[in-house]
Amino acid sequence: MAAVAKKGDTPVPAGGWDYAPAPESRDIVSFEERYGLFIGGEEVSPRSRAWFPTVSPATEEPLAEVAQAGPKDVALAVDAAREGFEAWSAWKPSERAKVLFRIARILQERARELAVAESLDGGKPIKESRDVDIPLAAAHFFYYAGWADKLEYAFPGRRPRPLGVAAQIVPWNFPLLMLAWKIAPALACGNTVVLKPAETTPLTALLFADVCRQAQVPPGVVNIVTGDGSTGAHLVRSDGIDKVAFTGSTEVGKAIQRELAGRDIALTLELGGKAANIVFDDCALDQAVEGIVNGIYFNQGHVCCAGSRLLVQESIHDQLVRKLKRRMATLRVGDPLDKNTDIGAINSKAQLDRITELVEAGTEEGAEIYQPPCRLPEKGWWFAPTVFTGVAQSHRIAREEIFGPVLSVLTFRTPDEAVEKANNTMYGLSAGVWTEKGSRILWMADRLRSGVVWGNTFNRFDPSSPFGGYKESGFGREGGRHGLEPYLRFE
């Protein structure tokens, strides 16, 4: 590339900077050709005798064959968890803490391997798997290892006791992190678990089974059954469970709630979202633009708390949109294992079809679409980062969860109008507020019907901070001291 020199300056490339490929080595992780179920501390073949392939969304290549657990397999896993509970719940809490601590350390030691596996199986950029998913997963086990022998201090004046067997169903957008969110507090409280990972992203859960073996987790304490939605349904219907924890779509969450009606089974649901990212005219505009990009394009928009509705104060709308489009043009779409990649592959063909349908609806309803010029790979499932302006609250793209890299921009004039528009949704999982006034952030947070409100940032998580929603975004909290309570009964 030719360089242009100015007097007294260092020469710079004439056409801007290009990024050379910087791929992470795929050889770091080795997958088995076929994985069974993890039940009672051992890998077992499915009694269903059924298997299915898990596929890389970036290349459409099969990565491994995975067991499809049927009703007999689920029953076997629940029985193993019930048997394991008798011993695990009787352990000294300090000894349980040691097991969680060992899991956390092993996750750190195998972080590079797990990050590559997560990106291969899920399609997310390696820098997100490496810098967010795996470190946070380890941090949750460290955090709850610290709580394991302090439960009576967490709930003064009450006598906490474990519930029993927890059925846990996690989604495909953060497979290992969501596993940690659920397994760590359950084990710290003395419960045993049967975990069902998502059909399209089971591999890190199966690698976690090996982590459990390394950490000397007693047999039956952690059981992992893979399969599609029918496997999850068998698990929820099981008579041997005491608790269900589900993260996923609102539709499935409602079905689970109906199934559990009339049964003495604890339930927490973390469901969909349509978060408002609210930008006032006194904000640090460039900082806000970075927060907007992180809020919607992180993990290809496969985030339940993604800031998919951008509410901008009218006076800065045009300036912000110009800056946002300029920033979008720098986002790099491509190979998830390339350390330069900002936006990876869409998780599945079905999800890509859903995104495409809603984007087409947005253009048909009159919103103005912008997508920066970018070359999408020929193989795999991809979608360019997208922003819609001129969006009305009645548009589908402003009401429905897209779960992709698609942003809808609306405007407001006053704080009261911003609150009204932000709350005008069936969801209530998260929100963001951008302003230089701390008092305004607090005023907004008090009025927004969202489980989490970020001030001058977005998509920030910490093991000590509770997370959860209102309305059709579910109920119950994960993380922090609050995340212990759903796994306890009190005498």
Side-chain angles (χ1 to χ4, degrees):
M1 182 178 289
V4 176
K6 295 182 181 179
K7 189 175 181 180
D9 289 345
T10 303
V12 297
W17 295 101
D18 288 333
Y19 284 83
E24 176 62 278
S25 173
R26 181 172 171 168
D27 295 337
I28 293 167
V29 62
S30 176
F31 296 127
E32 302 291 339
E33 290 186 8
R34 174 177 279 188
Y35 287 93
L37 308 169
F38 185 64
I39 298 175
E42 298 179 349
E43 182 176 349
V44 300
S45 296
R47 295 185 178 186
S48 66
R49 298 182 180 178
W51 309 81
F52 65 93
T54 182
V55 175
S56 166
T59 61
E60 302 179 55
E61 62 173 314
L63 298 172
E65 277 197 332
V66 180
Q68 168 68 43
K72 292 182 180 179
D73 300 301
V74 170
L76 184 66
V78 172
D79 289 344
R82 178 61 59 192
E83 185 176 346
F85 174 70
E86 298 302 319
W88 180 247
S89 60
W91 275 36
K92 288 184 179 180
S94 59
E95 295 300 312
R96 291 201 297 262
K98 291 177 184 178
V99 173
L100 268 71
F101 189 85
R102 288 199 296 267
I103 291 173
R105 288 301 305 268
I106 294 168
L107 289 177
Q108 287 184 323
E109 291 165 4
R110 298 178 63 173
R112 197 175 174 197
E113 170 197 359
L114 292 167
V116 172
E118 202 76 301
S119 290
L120 281 172
D121 203 23
K124 66 175 59 186
I126 185 66
K127 64 182 180 182
E128 294 178 7
S129 301
R130 178 196 64 199
D131 298 342
V132 179
D133 293 47
I134 311 305
L136 266 179
H140 274 78
F141 279 99
F142 277 126
Y143 177 78
Y144 283 109
W147 271 121
D149 61 350
K150 304 176 185 67
L151 297 179
E152 292 185 1
Y153 297 96
F155 306 100
R158 307 165 78 184
R159 296 185 61 192
R161 296 290 183 267
L163 291 173
V165 176
Q168 303 178 323
I169 302 172
V170 296
W172 45 259
N173 55 339
F174 293 94
L176 190 63
L177 180 56
M178 294 295 100
L179 175 153
W181 277 27
K182 287 179 170 51
I183 290 182
L187 267 54
C189 292
N191 301 280
T192 56
V193 305
V194 179
L195 178 105
K196 192 204 87 71
E199 178 185 6
T200 59
T201 54
L203 291 181
T204 45
L206 294 168
L207 292 178
F208 182 78
D210 190 51
V211 171
C212 290
R213 283 190 285 261
Q214 276 187 271
Q216 299 175 357
V217 177
V221 173
V222 174
N223 305 274
I224 299 171
V225 292
T226 51
D228 57 17
S230 66
T231 302
H234 295 315
L235 183 56
V236 171
R237 296 189 189 110
S238 173
D239 292 330
I241 61 174
D242 303 287
K243 155 79 180 174
V244 173
F246 172 78
T247 297
S249 72
T250 297
E251 179 184 0
V252 175
K254 289 179 178 179
I256 291 173
Q257 195 169 16
R258 286 192 295 268
E259 178 63 37
L260 297 183
R263 297 169 63 188
D264 186 21
I265 294 176
L267 174 65
T268 50
L269 298 174
E270 196 261 280
L271 308 175
K274 193 68 179 174
N277 215 351
I278 306 164
V279 182
F280 286 92
D281 58 7
D282 64 342
C283 72
L285 198 55
D286 290 327
Q287 178 186 345
V289 168
E290 290 303 308
I292 293 162
V293 168
N294 179 58
I296 185 59
Y297 302 123
F298 175 71
N299 196 26
Q300 299 76 255
H302 296 337
V303 186
C304 52
C305 55
S308 54
R309 290 184 299 148
L310 177 60
L311 302 183
V312 185
Q313 201 153 18
E314 273 189 5
S315 58
I316 60 168
H317 171 271
D318 293 348
Q319 183 184 8
L320 184 146
V321 169
R322 283 196 304 271
K323 284 179 175 287
L324 177 60
K325 289 180 177 179
R326 190 181 308 128
R327 179 67 178 89
M328 289 172 63
T330 69
L331 297 175
R332 296 176 293 278
V333 182
D335 180 7
L337 290 186
D338 191 327
K339 302 181 189 74
N340 295 318
T341 296
D342 298 300
I343 298 178
I346 301 302
N347 180 262
S348 66
K349 178 64 163 58
Q351 186 58 33
L352 178 60
D353 291 342
R354 163 75 175 168
I355 296 168
T356 303
E357 176 202 349
L358 283 166
V359 167
E360 290 174 352
T363 56
E364 290 170 2
E365 289 178 327
E368 182 179 339
I369 188 173
Y370 170 78
Q371 294 175 322
C374 61
R375 181 180 299 173
L376 301 180
E378 294 181 4
K379 273 195 171 184
W381 304 301
W382 308 88
F383 203 87
T386 302
V387 61
F388 278 104
T389 52
V391 178
Q393 291 193 88
S394 59
H395 289 172
R396 287 183 65 192
I397 54 174
R399 293 183 291 107
E400 299 182 28
E401 185 178 35
I402 300 175
F403 224 64
V406 181
L407 178 65
S408 298
V409 182
L410 301 93
T411 61
F412 68 91
R413 293 182 179 178
T414 66
D416 284 324
E417 184 184 359
V419 169
E420 183 179 354
K421 286 187 173 181
N423 288 339
N424 184 25
T425 174
M426 65 182 184
Y427 298 111
L429 193 55
S430 63
V433 180
W434 299 83
T435 174
E436 69 169 10
K437 296 181 177 67
S439 59
R440 179 180 282 163
I441 294 174
L442 295 174
W443 186 92
M444 294 288 291
D446 190 47
R447 289 159 176 78
L448 292 169
R449 292 294 292 165
S450 297
V452 176
V453 179
W454 286 290
N456 292 326
T457 188
F458 208 92
N459 273 345
R460 298 300 178 194
F461 299 94
D462 188 274
S464 63
S465 179
F467 182 86
Y470 292 104
K471 299 188 284 188
E472 295 202 8
S473 289
F475 50 81
R477 294 294 181 265
E478 294 180 303
R481 181 180 62 84
H482 303 71
L484 296 166
E485 193 164 5
Y487 291 97
L488 293 169
R489 58 184 175 87
F490 296 93
E491 297 178 350

Coordinates of all heavy atoms in Angstrom, one line a residue, residues 147-178:
W147 N -19.4 -18.2 48.5 CA -20.6 -18.2 49.2 C -21.0 -19.5 49.9 O -21.8 -19.6 50.8 CB -21.8 -17.8 48.3 CG -22.0 -16.3 48.2 CD1 -22.0 -15.5 47.0 CD2 -22.4 -15.4 49.2 NE1 -22.3 -14.2 47.3 CE2 -22.6 -14.1 48.7 CE3 -22.6 -15.6 50.6 CZ2 -22.9 -13.0 49.4 CZ3 -23.0 -14.5 51.4 CH2 -23.1 -13.2 50.8
A148 N -20.4 -20.6 49.4 CA -20.8 -21.9 49.7 C -20.9 -22.2 51.3 O -21.8 -22.8 51.8 CB -20.0 -23.0 49.1
D149 N -19.9 -21.6 52.0 CA -19.9 -21.9 53.4 C -20.4 -20.6 54.2 O -20.1 -20.5 55.4 CB -18.5 -22.3 53.9 CG -17.5 -21.2 53.6 OD1 -17.8 -20.3 52.9 OD2 -16.3 -21.4 54.1
K150 N -21.1 -19.7 53.5 CA -21.6 -18.5 54.2 C -23.1 -18.2 54.0 O -23.5 -17.1 54.1 CB -20.8 -17.3 53.7 CG -19.2 -17.4 53.8 CD -18.5 -16.3 53.2 CE -17.0 -16.5 53.2 NZ -16.6 -17.6 52.4
L151 N -23.8 -19.3 53.7 CA -25.2 -19.1 53.3 C -26.0 -18.5 54.5 O -27.0 -17.7 54.3 CB -25.8 -20.4 52.9 CG -25.2 -21.0 51.6 CD1 -25.9 -22.3 51.3 CD2 -25.3 -20.1 50.4
E152 N -25.7 -18.9 55.7 CA -26.4 -18.3 56.9 C -26.1 -16.9 57.1 O -27.0 -16.1 57.7 CB -26.1 -19.1 58.1 CG -26.6 -20.6 58.1 CD -26.4 -21.3 59.3 OE1 -25.8 -20.7 60.3 OE2 -26.7 -22.5 59.4
Y153 N -25.0 -16.4 56.6 CA -24.7 -14.9 56.6 C -25.4 -14.2 55.5 O -25.7 -13.0 55.6 CB -23.2 -14.7 56.5 CG -22.4 -15.3 57.7 CD1 -21.8 -16.5 57.6 CD2 -22.3 -14.6 58.9 CE1 -21.1 -17.1 58.6 CE2 -21.6 -15.1 59.9 CZ -21.0 -16.4 59.8 OH -20.3 -16.9 60.9
A154 N -25.7 -14.9 54.4 CA -26.4 -14.3 53.3 C -27.8 -14.1 53.6 O -28.4 -13.1 53.1 CB -26.3 -15.2 52.0
F155 N -28.4 -14.9 54.5 CA -29.8 -14.8 54.9 C -29.9 -14.8 56.4 O -30.3 -15.9 56.9 CB -30.6 -15.9 54.2 CG -30.4 -16.0 52.7 CD1 -29.6 -16.9 52.1 CD2 -31.1 -15.1 51.9 CE1 -29.4 -17.0 50.8 CE2 -30.9 -15.1 50.5 CZ -30.1 -16.1 49.9
P156 N -29.6 -13.7 57.0 CA -29.6 -13.7 58.5 C -30.9 -14.1 59.1 O -32.0 -13.6 58.6 CB -29.2 -12.3 58.9 CG -28.5 -11.8 57.6 CD -29.2 -12.5 56.5
G157 N -30.9 -14.9 60.2 CA -32.1 -15.2 60.8 C -33.0 -16.3 60.1 O -34.1 -16.6 60.6
R158 N -32.4 -16.9 59.1 CA -33.1 -17.9 58.3 C -32.2 -19.1 58.2 O -31.0 -19.0 58.2 CB -33.6 -17.4 56.9 CG -34.4 -16.2 57.0 CD -34.5 -15.5 55.6 NE -35.5 -16.2 54.8 CZ -35.7 -15.9 53.5 NH1 -35.0 -14.9 52.9 NH2 -36.6 -16.5 52.8
R159 N -32.8 -20.3 58.1 CA -32.0 -21.5 58.0 C -32.1 -22.0 56.6 O -33.0 -22.7 56.2 CB -32.5 -22.6 59.0 CG -32.3 -22.2 60.4 CD -32.7 -23.3 61.4 NE -31.8 -24.5 61.1 CZ -32.1 -25.7 61.6 NH1 -33.2 -25.9 62.3 NH2 -31.3 -26.7 61.4
P160 N -31.1 -21.7 55.7 CA -31.1 -22.2 54.3 C -30.8 -23.6 54.2 O -29.9 -24.2 54.8 CB -30.1 -21.3 53.6 CG -29.1 -21.0 54.7 CD -29.9 -20.9 56.0
R161 N -31.6 -24.3 53.3 CA -31.4 -25.7 52.9 C -31.5 -25.9 51.4 O -32.3 -25.2 50.8 CB -32.4 -26.6 53.6 CG -32.3 -26.6 55.2 CD -31.1 -27.3 55.6 NE -31.0 -27.3 57.1 CZ -30.3 -26.4 57.8 NH1 -29.7 -25.4 57.3 NH2 -30.3 -26.6 59.2
P162 N -30.8 -26.8 50.8 CA -30.9 -27.0 49.4 C -32.2 -27.5 49.0 O -32.9 -28.2 49.8 CB -29.7 -28.0 49.1 CG -29.5 -28.7 50.4 CD -29.8 -27.7 51.5
L163 N -32.6 -27.3 47.8 CA -33.9 -27.8 47.3 C -33.9 -29.2 46.9 O -34.8 -30.0 47.1 CB -34.3 -26.9 46.0 CG -34.7 -25.5 46.3 CD1 -34.9 -24.8 44.9 CD2 -35.9 -25.4 47.1
G164 N -32.8 -29.6 46.2 CA -32.7 -31.0 45.7 C -32.1 -31.1 44.3 O -31.0 -30.7 44.1
V165 N -32.9 -31.6 43.4 CA -32.4 -31.7 42.0 C -32.9 -30.5 41.1 O -34.1 -30.3 41.1 CB -32.9 -33.0 41.4 CG1 -32.5 -33.1 39.9 CG2 -32.4 -34.2 42.2
A166 N -32.0 -29.8 40.5 CA -32.3 -28.7 39.7 C -32.2 -29.0 38.2 O -31.2 -29.5 37.8 CB -31.4 -27.5 40.0
A167 N -33.3 -28.9 37.5 CA -33.3 -29.0 36.0 C -33.0 -27.7 35.4 O -33.7 -26.7 35.7 CB -34.7 -29.5 35.6
Q168 N -31.9 -27.6 34.6 CA -31.4 -26.4 34.1 C -31.3 -26.4 32.5 O -30.7 -27.4 32.0 CB -30.1 -26.0 34.7 CG -30.2 -26.0 36.2 CD -28.8 -25.7 36.8 OE1 -27.8 -26.1 36.4 NE2 -28.8 -24.9 37.9
I169 N -32.0 -25.5 31.9 CA -32.0 -25.5 30.4 C -31.4 -24.1 30.0 O -31.9 -23.1 30.3 CB -33.4 -25.6 29.9 CG1 -34.0 -26.9 30.4 CG2 -33.4 -25.6 28.4 CD1 -35.5 -27.1 30.1
V170 N -30.3 -24.2 29.2 CA -29.6 -23.0 28.8 C -29.7 -22.8 27.3 O -29.8 -23.7 26.5 CB -28.1 -23.0 29.2 CG1 -28.0 -23.1 30.8 CG2 -27.4 -24.2 28.6
P171 N -29.5 -21.5 26.8 CA -29.6 -21.2 25.4 C -28.3 -21.3 24.6 O -27.3 -21.6 25.2 CB -30.1 -19.7 25.5 CG -29.4 -19.2 26.7 CD -29.3 -20.3 27.7
W172 N -28.4 -20.9 23.4 CA -27.3 -21.1 22.5 C -26.4 -19.8 22.3 O -25.4 -19.9 21.7 CB -27.7 -21.6 21.1 CG -28.9 -20.8 20.5 CD1 -30.1 -21.3 20.4 CD2 -28.9 -19.6 19.8 NE1 -30.9 -20.4 19.8 CE2 -30.2 -19.3 19.4 CE3 -27.9 -18.6 19.5 CZ2 -30.6 -18.1 18.7 CZ3 -28.2 -17.4 18.9 CH2 -29.6 -17.2 18.5
N173 N -26.8 -18.7 22.9 CA -26.0 -17.5 22.7 C -24.8 -17.4 23.6 O -23.8 -16.8 23.1 CB -26.9 -16.3 22.8 CG -27.7 -16.2 24.1 OD1 -27.8 -17.2 24.8 ND2 -28.1 -15.0 24.4
F174 N -24.9 -17.9 24.8 CA -23.7 -17.9 25.7 C -23.7 -19.2 26.4 O -24.0 -19.3 27.6 CB -23.8 -16.7 26.7 CG -23.7 -15.4 26.2 CD1 -24.9 -14.7 25.8 CD2 -22.5 -14.8 26.0 CE1 -24.8 -13.4 25.3 CE2 -22.4 -13.5 25.5 CZ -23.6 -12.8 25.1
P175 N -23.3 -20.3 25.7 CA -23.5 -21.6 26.2 C -22.8 -21.9 27.5 O -23.4 -22.4 28.5 CB -23.0 -22.5 25.1 CG -23.1 -21.7 23.8 CD -22.8 -20.3 24.3
L176 N -21.5 -21.6 27.6 CA -20.7 -21.9 28.8 C -21.0 -20.9 29.9 O -21.0 -21.3 31.1 CB -19.2 -22.0 28.5 CG -18.3 -22.5 29.6 CD1 -18.7 -24.0 29.9 CD2 -16.9 -22.4 29.3
L177 N -21.2 -19.7 29.5 CA -21.4 -18.7 30.5 C -22.8 -18.9 31.2 O -22.9 -18.8 32.4 CB -21.4 -17.3 29.9 CG -21.7 -16.1 30.9 CD1 -20.7 -16.1 32.0 CD2 -21.6 -14.8 30.1
M178 N -23.8 -19.2 30.4 CA -25.1 -19.5 31.0 C -25.1 -20.8 31.9 O -25.8 -20.9 32.9 CB -26.2 -19.7 29.9 CG -26.5 -18.4 29.1 SD -27.2 -17.1 30.1 CE -25.8 -16.1 30.4

